[in-house]
Amino acid sequence: MLPLVCVSQALQQLYYDPDMEQKNAAQRWLTQAQASPQAWHFCWALLGPDKLPEVQFFGASTLHTKISHHWADLQPDQHPGLRTQLLSHVLRFSSGPRMVLTRLCVALASLALNLVPQAWPKPVADLVRGPQEGPQEPPPHARCLVLLELLTVLPEEFQSSRLAQARRAQLREALAGEWATVCPLLRRLLQSPDSPGPVKQRVLRCLSGWTALGVALEESRGLVEDCFSALGDAELFDAAVETIVTVLSQPDCQRCRAALGGLIPVVLGLRERLEAAAGAGDMETTHGICRIAVALGETHSRVLLEQVDLWQDYLALVNMILFCTGTPGHYPVSETSSSLTLTFWYTLQDDIMSLEEERQALYLSVYREVYVRLVEVLLQKAHYAPEEEYASWSVDDKEQFRTYRVDISDTLMYVYEMLGAELLSSLYERLGGLVLGPGRGAAWQDIEALLFGFQSIAETIDVNYSDVIPGLIGLLPRISISTVLLADTVMYTIGSLAEWLADHPVMLVKILPMVLQGLAKPELSVSSVSTLKRICRECQHDLAPYAHDIIRVSQVHIDRGPLSSQCMWLMQGVGFLLSSLPVEAVLGSLQSFLSPHIQRLESLAQQQPCPSSKPSIIHILGLLSSLFTTLDINRHAPSLETAVPAPPTPPQVVVVLQQVLTLIQNILSKWLNDSEVVEAVCGVFEKSVRTLLHGFGPMVPQLSAMLGQIYCTYPQSSALDLTRQMVHIFAAEREFFSPVQDLVKVLTSATLAIFQQGPRDHPDIADSFMQLHAQIFKRKPDFYLSEHLDVSSLFCCGECFNIELFVPSTELFPRFKDLPAVGAVVLSEGRLLVQTLLQAVGGEAPRSLGDHFSEVLFSMNRNCVGLLARWLEETLQDPTFPSTLVSIQQKDAFRQRLLREQTNRRQVKDVVKEFSLLCRGHFRTCEYRAACG
């Protein structure tokens, strides 16, 4: 038996030792101690009255662990004694410490779940009646709190327990049958004027837990109405709101349609209080009542719509939610409720549109006016605060408001599904009145909100057939812009119309000057650059007349601007533009545009490395990378996935790339040990390879040599990722096979040398390395016929990374028979791999990696099942492997189930997951037998 003093010393070390390594060691030892048979005994000693609360808590936690995960250790005749002893301790700790009492109650709940219904048919009724024997009962108030704690944790423990489906259904039915005992007790305590606040709060929390068991709303309607009454008590308001929302959010409530419909008037009865709270700026009360209304309206929208006799009540509820959407004040500074309602409007629209045609037409007419008013409300809520007030907001408040406007934008899109073209016409008429009206004294926020509405719809809805968009294009230049916020929205609105402009290029002459003028203003940098990029992408075939101006203004902006992401976006836009020009015009435009940057890069390449020049180098490389991301001369070529050779890239583009490559080689001669510079270099060529595909071919030999030099000097995952792209495109081409294969040899040799020194110190390299070889197995397994590629070392290195990084190389197993080198490695190392996998599944690796382990086992099972069967049988013969918590019979069941599944990947994952849980003590033995049987 484990000496109690050892447990005490370990707890002392865990709680009070300042050394984290010692703490972790104590944690591991205590976890093993909890799993030992002796824990059934020492847990009671740790609960002694002379122990510290921390020690008592560990004792209670150990008791819960044993009952929930090691119940099979006990014989049936031991159950009554354990129950009596546990009840006694629960009562003894009724006055605290609270954390120990709660843990003991959870242990008692777990015990009840193991005994129900055979050995303890009515645990709740017995607990309510109170103990018939044992120590002196605590005072009534303390006993009441203990009872409520037990009743609260019982359904919570049921929800969190891992149970077989049949057992879960059996327990759910048994516990639901106890509601007839629980409900009257809770009502009596909640209604009693003598019940103190803490008791009533526990009652409310208890109801939330039982509701999740699927208790019929009809059986608890009176208690739910009592919860509404509790909203009048300021001390109980928050708890009552949480409970009501939990009850109303249960989909099972829809089975009791009459009871559900009866709650609508109860919720509507809160309307007056809601309006008073909103008018007084009482954010807490407004927020709580809004949550209740939304929970009822959103969760049960479809059911309430189908009850035609309730249409007036539900319409009143919808109008109440509309009031919540329009809560006075600016979100999130002076109100926080309106955001809760936005999802409701999508749900309502979706449910109406999914009804049968006749009823859909009826509700469209009923709710049309509601959605018209909703547009007014949403645009008002999207208004910016006055400039001085908005400037005083914190950064976090401004970000929340930005996100809130995105949600409003999504909601307007749903409204369009209800109102259609009528919505755009309404927005256009109002905007025209503000821009062209006689007074023209509208607040800029009004104009901005309307443009925001247009933008929201145009971003996601096809507006090509709208007859108001030409008028909108005509209005945009006539808007008097007095603030950056309005100017930004004008720009983003233009950007949202980029696809429309592609179909109506004649309108570009009105819009492009505005965008280019905005580009000249630093404060509009983000919005104008984003808009120009979108226009260049969507309208590239119609921009030739404007190419000179766009390139000129873009060059000025890049030269003037800071080293920012906007410059990268602008380069991408220029790449789209150049891609659309005639081939003979590309070279001149490209050279004139890149000339200043290349000259600057030449100057930097001649300088000695220093911190001040590094940002400029990385920035220019980033510009080149962004340009080559979109400079698609072969834009009509097949996709990368087809890997079919495309027409040769025009020589002028190759000339520019080779000029860049020469410069980069000069830079690397001085910056080869700087990871950021190397990563930026690899980024340039990775984007070029992705975009130019086979047109990049002439540069493959030079780039391969350079990558080998980079990696051998300073290994980086970016070099491996770029090599993977080259393998994908060029490995199958005879003229490039040799340089790419030589590069793979160099990278593989260098990487394996790194792993020998300490593989876990380089997870990014390991991941990219495995992804590279997975690509090779798919595209060109002939690489492994070379005697310079050590397949054995490649296979074994996966075992150094808890297998998860080996998964991409599961492509190796299908080559088991046709590649002799692979077959030899699998035969010699496969058993060790299986053993490592089972160790990981058995508890040596995090459970989150379980799917990775399953992938490896599935690939082996599919391609070399005979070997896998033999290795499983050999490795699982050890009684303690992979865990002491599983028997030989359970391991045999796991092996048989696994070997049966050679085609169903999902089933293999389930088998491995269940076995992993069993090995870790998280899956009950009886349930595993049921799953196996």
Side-chain angles (χ1 to χ4, degrees), residues 171-192:
L171 283 177
R172 184 185 296 275
E173 182 180 359
L175 292 176
E178 299 267 37
W179 181 242
T181 301
V182 177
C183 186
L185 171 66
L186 298 184
R187 289 204 70 182
R188 188 167 62 249
L189 292 173
L190 194 57
Q191 291 176 347
S192 173

Side-chain angles (χ1 to χ4, degrees), residues 682-906:
C682 291
V684 172
F685 292 107
E686 183 178 10
K687 299 300 187 300
S688 303
V689 170
R690 282 180 176 273
T691 303
L692 299 177
L693 301 179
H694 300 272
F696 192 84
M699 300 186 62
V700 167
Q702 290 174 279
L703 181 58
S704 297
M706 187 183 77
L707 280 177
Q709 179 189 12
I710 289 174
Y711 196 80
C712 290
T713 305
Y714 197 94
Q716 289 222 30
S717 60
S718 54
L720 295 167
D721 294 336
L722 176 51
T723 303
R724 176 159 54 91
Q725 293 298 323
M726 295 172 64
V727 167
H728 186 77
I729 298 170
F730 300 108
E733 296 188 28
R734 180 177 301 177
E735 62 180 308
F736 302 125
F737 179 87
S738 180
V740 174
Q741 185 185 42
D742 290 343
L743 173 60
V744 170
K745 291 177 187 177
V746 170
L747 300 188
T748 301
S749 176
T751 304
L752 293 177
I754 294 171
F755 289 169
Q756 290 176 358
Q757 299 171 6
R760 297 180 188 277
D761 296 333
H762 307 277
D764 54 337
I765 290 178
D767 183 50
S768 295
F769 180 70
M770 289 302 179
Q771 296 290 347
L772 167 62
H773 280 278
Q775 186 70 264
I776 294 172
F777 272 110
K778 290 178 182 178
R779 301 290 299 161
K780 197 64 176 174
D782 292 355
F783 275 27
Y784 295 104
L785 298 177
S786 170
E787 61 183 13
H788 299 289
L789 276 176
D790 188 350
V791 181
S792 176
S793 297
L794 173 65
F795 184 89
C796 294
C797 71
E799 298 167 11
C800 300
F801 292 92
N802 288 334
I803 309 303
E804 69 271 17
L805 293 176
F806 191 76
V807 173
S809 292
T810 52
E811 295 292 333
L812 176 147
F813 296 110
R815 302 288 179 176
F816 164 64
K817 295 180 180 178
D818 58 344
L819 286 178
V822 172
V825 169
V826 171
L827 287 172
S828 63
E829 305 291 345
R831 186 183 186 282
L832 178 59
L833 173 62
V834 171
Q835 181 178 337
T836 306
L837 275 168
L838 293 177
Q839 276 183 309
V841 170
E844 290 295 318
R847 281 170 44 201
S848 60
L849 301 176
D851 285 353
H852 296 302
F853 310 145
S854 301
E855 286 292 336
V856 181
L857 289 169
F858 178 74
S859 183
M860 296 180 73
N861 200 22
R862 193 169 189 173
N863 297 286
C864 44
V865 62
L867 292 173
L868 177 62
R870 188 180 80 204
W871 293 329
L872 285 172
E873 183 175 3
E874 292 173 358
T875 54
L876 291 174
Q877 284 180 352
D878 183 347
T880 63
F881 182 85
S883 168
T884 58
L885 301 178
V886 289
S887 65
I888 293 293
Q889 293 77 13
Q890 291 164 342
K891 289 189 283 188
D892 284 343
F894 162 70
R895 179 171 56 83
Q896 293 169 14
R897 293 179 68 200
L898 179 64
L899 293 173
R900 282 200 300 265
E901 302 296 340
Q902 296 183 27
T903 58
N904 192 327
R905 179 180 275 104
R906 180 68 263 169

Side-chain angles (χ1 to χ4, degrees), residues 601-611 613-614 617 662-675 677-678 681 709-710 713-714:
L601 199 60
E602 286 177 338
S603 174
L604 292 168
Q606 295 171 5
Q607 299 176 13
Q608 290 301 314
C610 64
S613 61
K614 176 179 170 181
I617 292 174
T662 303
L663 268 177
I664 286 176
Q665 287 175 323
N666 292 335
I667 289 173
L668 284 177
S669 66
K670 300 176 180 178
W671 291 90
L672 193 56
N673 292 320
D674 190 289
S675 61
V677 173
V678 171
V681 166
Q709 179 189 12
I710 289 174
T713 305
Y714 197 94

Side-chain angles (χ1 to χ4, degrees), residues 231-244:
L231 292 170
D233 187 334
E235 183 182 0
L236 301 178
F237 181 82
D238 290 341
V241 167
E242 290 295 335
T243 300
I244 294 170

